[in-house]
């Protein structure tokens, strides 16, 4: 938290800071940052979560049931959106969903109380954009691998009037190429907006408390109550955004599989 003269900068929490200078490749410095650190943390927590839930006990415990429920949830979503061909994409879409979910939730944990400041790397478009490009690349690879140049028929919807053949493909192509941008932007905006709001409210609480008893009661307490409510809402948003990202990925893969 950057504070100067009683002011709190809500954007300071998104600053990427170098932890280790790393090494130099062809004149380019490769540094290990707080963003990279929390990516590793999210991956390790996810690995531990999956490892603890893959015991395959005859009578599953709560942990195993939780992992199976998450897996079944994504498997059901793929079956609904892609069909029987969706099963082969389960490892990727499930990993994508869980990684984003854990990243979003870890960034909301109040670890600052023990001196640890979590970094929500999904609040950076460079991260969400790369995840979106990965999904978009799979769509292109699947589309051309399975259909060849017939994949371009995706840009000519069935029933398009002949007199619009010159216009509709261009519109469809632009809409198709915007998909990775909108996919990454949606997650980035949702996460950054919630964290900014929480930081602003935290500033109200701190400054009202420092201003005295009356401002503390009149402004600080309502702001703190609103913070609690927004935090609960942000946990819900964290799950919804992970689901939306996985859902749209499955819908885009469906286009590549079935050309519609």
């Amino acid at each position: 938290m950057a504070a100067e003269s009683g002011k709190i900068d809500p954007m300071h929490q998104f600053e990427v800071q170098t932890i280790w200078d790393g090494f130099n490749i062809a004149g380019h410095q490769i540094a290990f940052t707080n963003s990279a650190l929390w990516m590793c943390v999210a991956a390790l927590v996810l690995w531990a979560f999956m490892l603890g839930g893959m015991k395959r006990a005859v009578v599953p415990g709560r942990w195993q049931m939780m992992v199976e429920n998450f897996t079944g949830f994504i498997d059901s979503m793929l079956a609904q959106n892609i069909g029987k061909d969706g099963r082969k994409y389960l490892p990727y879409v499930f990993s994508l969903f869980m990684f984003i979910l854990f990243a979003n939730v870890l960034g909301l944990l109040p670890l600052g109380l023990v001196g640890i400041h979590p970094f929500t790397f999904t609040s950076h478009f460079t991260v969400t954009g790369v995840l979106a490009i990965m999904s978009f690349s799979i769509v292109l690879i699947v589309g051309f691998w399975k259909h060849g140049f017939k994949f371009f028929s995706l840009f000519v919807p069935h029933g398009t009037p002949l007199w619009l053949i010159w216009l509709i493909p261009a519109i469809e192509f632009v809409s198709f190429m915007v998909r990775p941008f909108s996919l990454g932007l949606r997650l980035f905006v949702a996460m950054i907006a919630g964290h900014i709001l929480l930081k602003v409210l935290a500033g109200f609480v701190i400054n009202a408390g420092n201003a005295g008893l009356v401002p503390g009661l009149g402004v600080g307490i309502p702001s703190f109550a609103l913070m609690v409510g927004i935090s609960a809402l942000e946990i819900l948003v964290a799950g919804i955004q992970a689901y939306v990202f996985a859902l749209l990925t499955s819908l885009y893969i469906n286009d590549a599989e079935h050309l519609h």
Side-chain angles (χ1 to χ4, degrees), residues 17-260:
Q17 300 175 349
T18 299
I19 297 176
W20 175 54
D21 288 335
F23 46 89
N24 191 291
I25 298 180
H28 298 281
Q29 189 70 29
I30 309 299
F32 187 76
T33 65
N34 54 343
S35 179
L37 172 64
W38 282 95
M39 288 184 202
C40 294
V41 171
L44 286 173
V45 173
L46 177 56
W47 176 80
F49 174 76
M50 294 301 300
L51 185 65
M54 296 179 66
K55 297 179 180 180
R56 296 186 179 182
V58 177
V59 180
R62 294 180 181 178
W63 202 331
Q64 182 178 336
M65 288 182 62
M66 191 179 301
V67 172
E68 290 178 354
N69 287 337
F70 274 119
T71 306
F73 173 70
I74 298 300
D75 186 44
S76 176
M77 182 190 71
L78 291 173
Q80 292 175 9
N81 295 312
I82 303 177
K84 62 180 181 180
D85 295 325
R87 177 61 64 89
K88 59 188 174 186
Y89 301 105
L90 178 60
Y92 171 71
V93 178
F94 176 77
S95 299
L96 186 67
F97 169 77
M98 295 299 291
F99 182 69
I100 294 175
L101 177 63
F102 274 61
N104 293 347
V105 173
L106 282 173
L108 291 170
L109 296 179
L111 300 178
L113 297 174
V114 293
I116 300 175
H117 299 285
F119 185 86
T120 310
F121 54 85
T122 48
S123 63
H124 280 255
F125 187 65
T126 50
V127 176
T128 61
V130 168
L131 294 176
I133 290 173
M134 287 171 55
S135 295
F136 190 67
S137 298
I138 290 176
V139 171
L140 294 177
I141 293 171
V142 170
F144 283 111
W145 182 271
K146 189 170 183 177
H147 305 286
F149 289 108
K150 188 181 177 182
F151 180 63
F152 289 110
S153 65
L154 183 67
F155 307 131
V156 187
H158 181 70
T160 301
L162 290 177
W163 64 278
L164 285 177
I165 275 298
W166 64 276
L167 178 61
I168 297 300
I171 295 175
E172 289 291 329
F173 178 76
V174 172
S175 175
F176 182 80
M177 295 305 296
V178 167
R179 284 180 176 182
F181 177 79
S182 62
L183 188 61
L185 187 66
R186 183 180 290 104
L187 174 59
F188 151 71
V189 169
M191 299 314 298
I192 197 172
H195 281 68
I196 289 176
L197 181 57
L198 286 173
K199 184 67 73 172
V200 170
L201 290 173
F204 287 164
V205 173
I206 293 173
N207 290 329
N210 292 335
L213 180 61
V214 175
L217 294 176
V219 178
I221 292 180
S223 297
F224 180 77
L226 189 56
M227 272 188 67
V228 174
I230 296 289
S231 297
L233 180 61
E234 280 298 294
I235 293 176
L236 180 62
V237 170
I240 291 176
Q241 288 302 316
Y243 170 71
V244 169
F245 203 103
L247 175 64
L248 291 177
T249 296
S250 67
L251 292 175
Y252 297 158
I253 292 175
N254 176 61
D255 288 342
E257 280 282 347
H258 306 295
L259 294 182
H260 61 256

